[in-house]
């Protein structure tokens, strides 16, 4: 039968304790049941456990940079923590002032139950109840970095040390990235958003969630565009600093290109990336409960995208004094920056690499996530279904193209072709291609051979006796019989045709409609920002380069507050072309007080092909919301009508 002092497992029932201490279910004389505190006290000399906090909901953490004071406060009447099995209860806030020294400060309760800070990393197994870390910069006192470290009681110190040294913080779920557009230079397309997500720092679970106005631990603006502080190193020794969070996860030279964090002789500085070069920025999830998702500035620039991928491995990042083992790399975002880019930030997203599930240690290279980063690509033929570059212009290979996208004459067959293809001659059997240094006859179905003469520009082909000759473009007569030797056609009067008032009633094609396209918003939208964002966009495929686009835009919107100005602008091919404003009225939820704005613009000189058209909106001043709700309010809408016409 166990005597007093025999360890009893924590959490056993009364019956289980009785079974351990006496067969009758009652304690022997002089003995008593062991409480949980008894059990901890008896096991502590052997295990140095438990150490830590029963939970993190009984306390709240805060830091005042002006006084460098770190405080842990009970959320109720008191809070408990343990050190080597000894339970401590604090019924008031506990504070410590960190020294005014740049570096990473470790805040914890020591084995005597006193809250202290130290620049020396804490020791596992010493009975220290970890509370937090504070990275302090004496030259930038508002740019401190906090770290949650209130570990629990279940994990023993040796397991904690093992996980800390081998696993670090790990990804659990979420943080899907969206909103960016590759190779686009508009401001909106170089921003992105993240979904909610979770990381685990050993036994601490950090659920990071979106909030439009963060007020609780581990809340942050995450939806597109997410707001991230940018971390960078500065000055001699490279102390860490960070900018306030913005919608752009990188740093720019004022009105210029993106910056990178340059190091020379141990001194760090901001350098503008060379025109059209590339730089990588790194997105991390951290244990800083005030701003858990951060962007770390790239520490080099590269001339090509391939070099940027190859040279910016996780192992190349120089973390200095940051608690990098408590942070989890999520994404590497590679930007190109150039003077000719249309956006205000002179940037394009050229690559996004996902490292969420990669288990990495600082200084450890990541496994390749892109095909171009794999090794052995230039050895052997790994894809026999494709022809090799070495087979271009080679025998049994494939032909090349010259600067005009045509096959060079030198690569065409040179054997003479069989002439006279038609009913009266046998079809050619040569495997060669006809050349332009001889003539062919064209045979009608009735058997008449027709010769082909020279045809001038602007002429159409027409039969003239036994020859095919050029004739003027087709016209149409509104009345009367066809004129001899003049092509004739009946044409319905539609857009693009006009009739002469006199002189034969001839109909000619003039500056008419070539094509139209239309887009409208069908779902409800609202916005609170003062920077332009897309309300309605479309892609129009322009038929010809010599035509003009006439664009009609209408919008009806309302605001949550009276007399709030709402600005709209039309952006074509990333260039703002024209805009208008309305003064919104409080709609009282009815959608009946929206104001209307519209514009019409004619654009010439646009190349044929795909053209981006975007109607953007913003508030003129904050503290309101603008609405456009065609899904629920019949009086609110936004639409774009594009007409392509002959210029």
């Amino acid at each position: 039968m166990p005597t007093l002092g025999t360890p009893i497992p924590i959490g056993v029932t009364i019956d289980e304790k009785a079974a351990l201490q006496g067969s009758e279910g009652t304690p022997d004389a002089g003995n008593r049941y062991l409480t949980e505190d008894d059990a901890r006290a008896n096991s502590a000399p052997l295990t140095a456990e438990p150490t830590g906090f029963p939970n993190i909901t009984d306390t709240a953490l805060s830091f005042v940079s002006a006084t460098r004071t770190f405080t842990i406060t009970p959320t109720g009447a008191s809070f408990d923590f343990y050190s080597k099995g000894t339970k401590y209860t604090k019924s008031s806030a506990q504070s410590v002032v960190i020294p005014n020294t740049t570096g990473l400060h470790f805040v914890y309760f020591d084995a005597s139950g006193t809250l202290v800070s130290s620049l020396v990393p804490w020791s596992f197994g010493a009975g220290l109840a970890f509370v937090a870390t504070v990275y302090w910069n004496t030259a930038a006192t508002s740019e401190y970095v906090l770290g949650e470290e209130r570990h629990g009681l279940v994990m023993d110190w040796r397991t904690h040390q093992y996980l800390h040294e081998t696993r670090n913080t790990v990804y659990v779920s979420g943080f899907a990235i969206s909103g960016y557009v590759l190779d686009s230079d508009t401001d909106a397309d170089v921003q992105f958003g993240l979904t909610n997500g979770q990381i685990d720092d050993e036994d601490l679970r950090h659920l990071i969630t979106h909030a439009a106005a963060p007020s609780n631990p581990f809340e942050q603006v995450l939806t597109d565009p997410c707001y991230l502080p940018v971390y960078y190193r500065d000055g001699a020794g490279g102390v860490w600093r960070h900018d306030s969070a913005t919608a752009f996860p990188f740093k720019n030279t004022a009105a210029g290109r993106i910056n990178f964090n340059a190091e020379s002789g141990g001194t760090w500085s901001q350098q503008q990336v060379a025109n059209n070069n590339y730089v990588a920025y790194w997105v991390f999830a951290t244990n800083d409960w005030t701003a858990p998702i951060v962007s770390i500035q790239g520490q080099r620039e590269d001339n090509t995208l391939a070099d940027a991928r190859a040279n910016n491995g996780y192992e190349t990042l120089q973390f200095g004094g940051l608690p990098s083992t408590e942070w989890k790399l999520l994404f590497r975002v590679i930007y190109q920056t150039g003077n000719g880019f249309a956006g205000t930030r002179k940037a394009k997203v050229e690559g996004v690499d996902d490292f969420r599930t990669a288990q990495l240690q600082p200084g450890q290279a990541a496994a390749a996530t892109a095909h171009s980063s794999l090794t052995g690509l230039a050895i052997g033929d790994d894809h026999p279904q494709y022809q090799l570059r070495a087979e271009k212009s080679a025998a049994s290979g494939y032909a090349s193209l010259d600067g005009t996208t045509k096959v060079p004459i030198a690569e065409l067959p040179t054997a003479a072709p069989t002439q006279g293809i038609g009913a009266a001659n046998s079809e050619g059997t040569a495997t060669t291609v006809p050349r332009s240094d001889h003539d062919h006859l064209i045979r009608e179905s009735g058997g008449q051979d027709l010769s082909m003469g020279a045809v001038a520009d602007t002429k159409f082909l027409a039969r003239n006796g036994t020859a095919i000759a050029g004739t003027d473009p087709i016209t149409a007569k509104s009345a009367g019989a066809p004129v001899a030797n003049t092509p004739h056609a009946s044409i319905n009067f539609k857009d693009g045709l006009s009739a002469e008032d006199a002189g034969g009633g001839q109909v000619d094609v003039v500056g008419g409609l070539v094509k139209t396209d239309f887009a409208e918003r069908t779902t409800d939208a609202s916005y609170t920002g003062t920077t332009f964002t897309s309300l309605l966009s479309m892609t129009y495929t322009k038929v010809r380069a010599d035509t003009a686009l006439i664009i009609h835009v209408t919008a009806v919107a309302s605001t949550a507050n009276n007399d709030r100005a709402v600005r709209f602008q039309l952006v074509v091919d990333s260039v703002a072309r024209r805009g208008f404003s309305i003064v919104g009225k409080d709609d009282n939820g009815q959608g009946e007080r929206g104001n209307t704005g519209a514009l019409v613009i004619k654009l010439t000189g646009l190349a044929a092909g795909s053209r981006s058209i975007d109607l953007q909106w913003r508030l003129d001043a904050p503290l309101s919301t603008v609405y456009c709700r065609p899904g629920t309010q019949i009086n609110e809408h936004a639409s774009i009508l594009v007409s392509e016409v002959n210029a």
Side-chain angles (χ1 to χ4, degrees):
M1 176 174 58
T3 60
L4 185 63
T6 301
I8 300 296
I10 296 173
V12 299
T13 65
I14 294 295
D15 290 340
E16 290 170 332
K17 289 180 178 179
L20 288 167
Q21 293 188 314
S23 59
E24 300 297 325
T26 59
D28 293 339
N31 288 337
R32 59 182 175 83
Y33 290 128
L34 296 181
T35 66
E36 291 184 2
D37 288 344
D38 293 330
R40 292 189 177 98
N42 280 274
S43 63
L46 295 176
T47 63
E49 295 296 342
T51 295
F53 291 82
N55 60 70
I56 62 173
T57 59
D58 290 347
T59 53
L61 306 180
S62 62
F63 180 70
V64 179
S65 61
T67 59
R68 306 189 311 281
T69 302
F70 186 93
T71 302
I72 177 170
T73 305
T75 56
S78 63
F79 67 91
D80 300 329
F81 64 90
Y82 288 82
S83 173
K84 290 187 175 181
T86 299
K87 177 181 178 181
Y88 292 91
T89 299
K90 302 292 184 181
S91 57
S92 62
Q94 305 293 300
S95 298
V96 63
V97 176
I98 68 170
N100 190 23
T101 304
T102 295
L104 188 62
H105 297 253
F106 299 84
V107 180
Y108 55 90
F109 285 103
D110 64 16
S112 68
T114 302
L115 186 67
V116 298
S117 75
S118 174
L119 286 164
V120 178
W122 39 46
S123 299
F124 295 90
L128 310 181
F130 305 164
V131 177
T133 57
V134 180
Y135 183 87
W136 180 253
N137 183 350
T138 59
T141 58
S142 64
E143 300 174 20
Y144 53 85
V145 185
L146 302 175
E148 166 68 83
E149 289 291 347
R150 290 171 293 174
H151 292 275
L153 300 175
V154 176
M155 178 178 60
D156 65 89
W157 71 265
R158 188 64 185 88
T159 301
H160 187 179
Q161 182 182 33
Y162 166 76
L163 294 174
H164 180 82
E165 293 176 350
T166 61
R167 293 273 293 168
N168 307 143
T169 295
V170 297
Y171 166 80
V172 177
S173 63
F175 302 122
I177 189 170
S178 63
Y180 66 89
V181 178
L182 291 176
D183 201 34
S184 172
D185 59 2
T186 66
D187 285 351
D189 289 346
V190 300
Q191 300 169 329
F192 56 81
L194 298 170
T195 60
N196 297 342
Q198 179 181 322
I199 56 173
D200 282 4
D201 174 17
E202 291 100 29
D203 63 337
L204 285 173
R205 302 198 131 185
H206 302 318
L207 180 60
I208 301 171
T209 58
H210 166 75
S215 59
N216 297 311
F218 292 99
E219 287 183 345
Q220 192 167 351
V221 178
L222 296 181
T223 56
D224 185 17
C226 60
Y227 277 64
L228 307 184
V230 178
Y231 281 66
Y232 60 95
R233 302 184 71 176
D234 188 48
V239 297
W240 281 99
R241 301 187 60 180
H242 63 81
D243 293 342
S244 298
T246 73
F248 295 95
F250 49 81
K251 290 175 65 67
N252 282 83
T253 295
R257 301 185 302 274
I258 298 179
N259 287 359
F260 74 100
N261 204 181
E263 185 269 335
S264 177
T267 298
W268 294 76
S269 63
Q270 293 295 308
Q271 296 291 331
Q272 189 172 215
V273 175
N275 189 36
N276 293 324
N277 272 8
Y278 298 79
V279 61
Y281 275 70
W282 307 82
V283 180
F284 281 82
T286 78
N287 62 340
D288 185 342
W289 64 91
T290 64
I293 306 295
V294 306
S295 173
I296 290 186
Q297 187 180 27
Q299 297 175 350
R300 59 173 292 123
E301 66 171 327
D302 289 282
N303 296 326
T304 67
L305 179 59
D307 287 344
R309 290 188 184 279
N311 297 331
N312 286 276
Y314 181 63
E315 73 280 4
T316 66
L317 274 179
Q318 300 184 54
F319 284 101
L322 278 183
S324 56
T325 57
E326 315 299 329
W327 294 14
K328 178 66 186 79
L329 175 61
L330 302 179
F331 299 99
R332 178 183 65 182
V333 183
I334 298 178
Y335 295 94
Q336 186 184 24
T337 182
N339 295 332
F341 295 173
T344 62
R345 298 306 182 108
K346 306 298 181 186
K348 292 180 181 180
V349 176
E350 295 295 348
V352 176
D353 299 297
D354 189 346
F355 290 91
R356 287 177 293 175
T357 59
Q359 188 60 42
L360 301 172
Q361 297 267 0
Q364 176 185 5
T369 58
H371 184 269
S372 59
S373 299
L374 298 173
T375 60
L377 294 179
I379 301 174
D381 184 5
D382 296 329
H383 304 287
Q385 69 271 35
Y386 303 121
Q387 287 190 292
L388 301 176
R389 283 188 177 182
E391 296 173 342
K392 183 172 68 174
S393 305
S396 301
Y398 60 96
S400 62
L401 299 177
D402 62 19
T404 63
T405 70
K406 296 180 175 59
V407 177
I409 291 178
E411 296 184 28
L412 292 173
T414 57
T418 299
Q419 300 201 13
I421 300 175
N425 301 290
S426 61
E427 294 189 0
T429 58
T431 58
T432 56
V433 178
R435 298 278 292 273
S436 60
D437 54 0
H438 55 273
D439 297 327
H440 287 272
L441 293 178
I442 299 176
R443 169 156 294 184
E444 286 187 308
S445 59
Q448 175 67 51
D449 289 334
L450 302 179
S451 63
M452 184 73 178
V455 179
D457 289 343
T458 74
K459 302 289 185 178
F460 288 103
L461 298 181
R463 166 81 178 269
N464 185 4
T466 60
I468 295 177
T471 187
D472 290 329
I474 294 175
T475 59
K477 303 289 287 183
S478 60
V483 178
N485 298 323
T486 301
H488 181 77
S490 297
I491 302 177
N492 293 326
F493 288 89
K494 291 186 177 180
D495 292 341
L497 300 179
S498 64
E500 293 180 351
D501 294 331
Q506 197 172 49
V507 178
D508 297 312
V509 177
V510 296
L513 183 65
V514 176
K515 177 185 174 184
T516 65
D517 202 354
F518 176 77
E520 64 178 342
R521 186 167 187 96
T522 59
T523 59
D524 292 356
S526 63
Y527 186 50
T528 60
T530 57
T531 58
F532 279 112
T533 191
S534 178
L535 173 63
L536 174 63
S537 63
M538 64 183 294
T539 299
Y540 178 83
T541 303
K542 194 165 181 283
V543 177
R544 304 199 313 266
D546 62 344
T547 58
L549 296 186
I550 299 177
I551 303 175
H552 304 249
V553 174
T554 61
V556 181
S558 60
T559 57
N561 303 89
N562 283 326
D563 301 324
R564 298 294 185 182
V566 183
R567 299 191 182 277
F568 295 81
Q569 70 174 10
L570 177 66
V571 177
V572 179
D573 290 342
S574 303
V575 178
R577 307 287 183 165
R578 188 163 294 173
F580 61 88
S581 300
I582 66 171
V583 177
K585 300 294 185 181
D586 182 358
D587 73 340
N588 295 317
Q590 302 303 313
E592 298 177 350
R593 302 192 65 187
N595 278 356
T596 303
L599 65 83
V600 179
I601 185 172
K602 181 177 181 180
L603 298 176
T604 59
L606 299 178
S610 179
R611 308 268 67 87
S612 65
I613 301 173
D614 189 18
L615 175 60
Q616 300 179 351
W617 65 345
R618 69 175 178 87
L619 284 167
D620 199 37
L623 305 178
S624 187
T625 302
V626 57
Y627 303 97
C628 181
R629 297 165 293 185
T632 57
Q633 303 291 345
I634 193 172
N635 294 328
E636 296 181 5
H637 66 84
S639 62
I640 301 173
L641 173 63
V642 182
S643 301
E644 184 174 350
V645 299
N646 291 311

